[in-house]
Amino acid sequence: MRKIKELIFASVCLLGMTVAVSSCVEPGSDGPDKPAITGSTIMLPNEANAVVEVTLDMKSDWNVSNANTWFTVQPLSGVAGQATFTITVLEANPELTEKVASFRINEGDTPTEYYVVQDVTPGMSMVNTGIALSDASQESSFTFSSNVAVSVTSNADWVTVSEVKKDSVLLADNATYSKLKTYTVNFSASENSGEVREANIEVSGEGLEKAENFVVTQMGVLVADYSRTFIRRSLVVRYTGNWCGYCPAMNLALHDAIDQYPDHIVAMNMYQGSGDLSFSKINDFMNLFNIQGFPTAIMNYYCEVGNTSAYQSNTTRFVNLAKEAVNELPAKTVLGGVATISGNNVEVEVSVASKEAGSYFISAFLLEDGIIGTQSDYLGLVDNPAEYDHSNVVRSVLTAEMGDPYSLSASGLERITFTVPVPEDVVNPENLHVVVFATYEGSFDGSLRDSYISYNDYGYVVDNVVNIPVGGFAVFSYEN
């Protein structure tokens, strides 16, 4: 810390009360908790209209330079000798971290910079409030910020808090450590051989009325009930681009279909020629499915749906095709699993249960929601084409393009793991999810063919699909 020579700290007063001068704030301490001056740093209370007085011995004539608007320094000039400076705080600090600024005292030709550090508003912040874990015994962690002392406790015996670490940062005065610390809570979860369970890790802050809860949800061992009818979800892959003015019509139709027939339709959007939205391997899929124009949807790898500006009719088509799959192609498999981010990787653990023995391909794609960007719109369906919500955007494929081969047994269960780095073009990792589906070789010719629906033999049939949020999980589901 820089020493200010020939400086006499005669007194430091807050509202007429004398406060002793303190030493430098060391790393790991709780930072400033009352007005004081240390070296060239002056501590200010978090209170509008509070006054701090600092008396210094000035060697020559002097003047003050202060461009800040939230505190004042008086007087602004003087002569050699003892001078008392009054710092008036004009506004409170609503933030969890200190407000830091500086002013200068120009003593003759020598300027000296003084920092002022305004105290914090007591509180804590927890951005991530939960995690989903697989059934295995494992260790994990989460972080939060607090400027008050904390206690961390678990309400379940299967979650054990093993260590709580804290770290602070040096403020701009290069002498004071912030009261706001980043806490890392390391915990372990025991193996879960039963059903899904949930625990709370409670974080209480000293003097705070409300505690924060970090929710730990652990998936149990996925056990299929082979006597029940597996849910039959349909996969819709939409080929699109942000330059495609007719594409929002099909997107709207697909979203409405998902709302009308919940948990039976899973969407993926492959973008071409759309900057960071583009899927690098889209051409391989376009060649396989003979995509001639945008937008086009391929449903369950056996049916093509074309676009119409009367998007409501396409909503009906998607719903009817999904219901046809339930009735005519009941699922022989069911999928579930958990997805997490570890470091810079997405880790996925999938369980596939099969009623019948057979050869299947398991495909996994990483998707992202909530990407705000431009979208061409010829039909006036988009409220703000400059801020369109692009969701279910395919970011990468975690398997071979048409899936990895697996031989599944009758009444069997296969557990598969995937790991993929988070792609550089991902905007927000919290909006990632993984679509996993099982296909088999074959074709299907349904009865809903019309001018916008064609059944084609591409060589594959999607048997079932599941959508797993990153940071969450999906269990086996069944038809009602």
Side-chain angles (χ1 to χ4, degrees):
M1 184 185 68
R2 185 180 62 172
K3 297 285 186 180
I4 307 299
K5 294 183 178 180
E6 298 182 338
L7 207 58
I8 300 175
F9 304 126
S11 65
V12 181
C13 300
L14 169 63
L15 302 179
M17 298 180 61
T18 301
V19 181
V21 175
S22 64
S23 61
C24 294
V25 181
E26 298 297 334
S29 74
D30 287 335
D33 56 9
K34 58 184 177 180
I37 184 167
T38 302
S40 59
T41 297
I42 302 167
M43 301 302 177
L44 303 180
N46 189 8
E47 181 183 353
N49 301 317
V51 175
V52 174
E53 291 184 347
V54 179
T55 300
L56 307 176
D57 188 22
M58 310 306 294
K59 187 177 180 180
S60 61
D61 294 350
W62 54 268
N63 63 80
V64 173
S65 300
N66 177 29
N68 298 281
T69 59
W70 60 273
F71 71 90
T72 62
V73 181
Q74 293 291 336
L76 295 179
S77 62
V79 297
Q82 198 173 75
T84 298
F85 296 90
T86 299
I87 296 94
T88 303
V89 182
L90 302 180
E91 59 190 34
N93 175 20
E95 304 298 329
L96 298 181
T97 189
E98 293 84 356
K99 185 185 288 187
V100 182
S102 65
F103 66 93
R104 286 183 178 180
I105 298 180
N106 305 297
E107 190 176 1
D109 295 329
T110 305
T112 302
E113 189 167 23
Y114 289 85
Y115 285 89
V116 293
V117 176
Q118 188 179 23
D119 207 356
V120 299
T121 292
M124 67 172 66
S125 173
M126 185 180 294
V127 177
N128 296 319
T129 57
I131 192 171
L133 303 175
S134 69
D135 59 293
S137 173
Q138 58 200 285
E139 295 186 357
S140 189
S141 64
F142 67 94
T143 61
F144 66 93
S145 299
S146 176
N147 57 29
V148 298
V150 300
S151 60
V152 182
T153 56
S154 168
N155 72 342
D157 57 6
W158 58 272
V159 171
T160 302
V161 176
S162 56
E163 186 180 33
V164 180
K165 296 181 178 180
K166 62 181 179 179
D167 188 27
S168 185
V169 297
L170 198 61
L171 298 178
D173 66 345
N174 206 32
T176 309
Y177 281 83
S178 176
K179 281 186 176 181
L180 185 65
K181 296 177 176 60
T182 299
Y183 288 80
T184 301
V185 178
N186 296 306
F187 66 92
S188 61
S190 61
E191 182 181 2
N192 182 16
S193 57
E195 298 181 349
V196 174
R197 59 187 181 183
E198 185 175 288
N200 287 332
I201 299 178
E202 184 180 86
V203 181
S204 300
E206 183 178 324
L208 302 182
E209 294 182 1
K210 182 183 176 182
E212 298 286 347
N213 279 321
F214 185 83
V215 181
V216 182
T217 308
Q218 188 177 33
M219 184 177 69
V221 176
L222 291 180
V223 178
D225 185 347
Y226 297 99
S227 67
R228 299 178 63 185
T229 301
F230 292 161
I231 195 168
R232 206 310 180 188
R233 300 187 183 98
S234 289
L235 175 71
V236 178
V237 182
R238 188 173 68 101
Y239 294 84
T240 187
N242 63 356
W243 47 266
C244 169
Y246 293 112
C247 286
M250 179 175 282
N251 189 46
L252 183 57
L254 183 53
H255 276 276
D256 287 350
I258 292 171
D259 290 340
Q260 290 183 23
Y261 198 28
D263 205 24
H264 282 82
I265 302 173
V266 175
M268 297 199 323
N269 293 321
M270 291 188 181
Y271 281 76
Q272 185 186 65
S274 303
D276 288 343
L277 296 171
S278 300
F279 177 45
S280 62
K281 297 185 177 181
I282 188 173
N283 288 339
D284 296 338
F285 291 90
M286 290 180 63
N287 291 334
L288 176 65
F289 294 105
N290 193 29
I291 303 300
Q292 298 298 311
F294 284 16
T296 297
I298 299 297
M299 193 158 183
N300 290 330
Y301 279 15
Y302 58 71
C303 178
E304 177 182 315
V305 180
N307 191 57
T308 171
S309 58
Y311 67 89
Q312 297 91 340
S313 60
N314 259 359
T315 296
T316 302
R317 289 185 178 94
F318 285 129
V319 171
N320 288 341
L321 285 166
K323 290 181 176 179
E324 180 185 58
V326 170
N327 295 324
E328 302 295 328
L329 290 171
K332 296 176 283 189
T333 61
V334 67
L335 303 93
V338 61
T340 59
I341 290 183
S342 178
N344 194 45
N345 292 326
V346 175
E347 297 180 353
V348 188
E349 183 177 296
V350 179
S351 293
V352 184
S354 52
K355 286 193 174 186
E356 303 174 7
S359 297
Y360 292 86
F361 298 89
I362 305 300
S363 299
F365 288 79
L366 184 65
L367 280 63
E368 184 178 5
D369 291 340
I371 306 171
I372 305 302
T374 60
Q375 176 62 55
S376 181
D377 175 31
Y378 297 154
L379 302 175
L381 298 175
V382 179
D383 290 337
N384 185 353
E387 296 185 0
Y388 187 76
D389 185 340
H390 300 272
S391 291
N392 299 311
V393 179
V394 174
R395 287 309 202 180
S396 63
V397 56
L398 286 65
T399 57
E401 291 173 11
M402 298 310 297
D404 296 337
Y406 287 88
S407 294
L408 305 182
S409 58
S411 299
L413 183 72
E414 186 80 23
R415 299 187 75 163
I416 307 167
T417 58
F418 305 107
T419 301
V420 62
V422 176
E424 292 183 358
D425 53 8
V426 165
V427 177
N428 186 353
E430 293 183 8
N431 291 338
L432 292 173
H433 52 112
V434 182
V435 170
V436 186
F437 53 96
T439 63
Y440 55 84
E441 292 183 339
S443 62
F444 173 71
D445 190 8
S447 60
L448 300 178
R449 189 184 305 270
D450 64 18
S451 57
Y452 289 95
I453 294 176
S454 62
Y455 296 89
N456 304 308
D457 184 1
Y458 300 114
Y460 297 90
V461 173
V462 173
D463 182 72
N464 214 345
V465 59
V466 68
N467 189 13
I468 307 172
V470 172
F473 58 79
V475 298
F476 292 156
S477 297
Y478 306 87
E479 297 289 351
N480 293 332

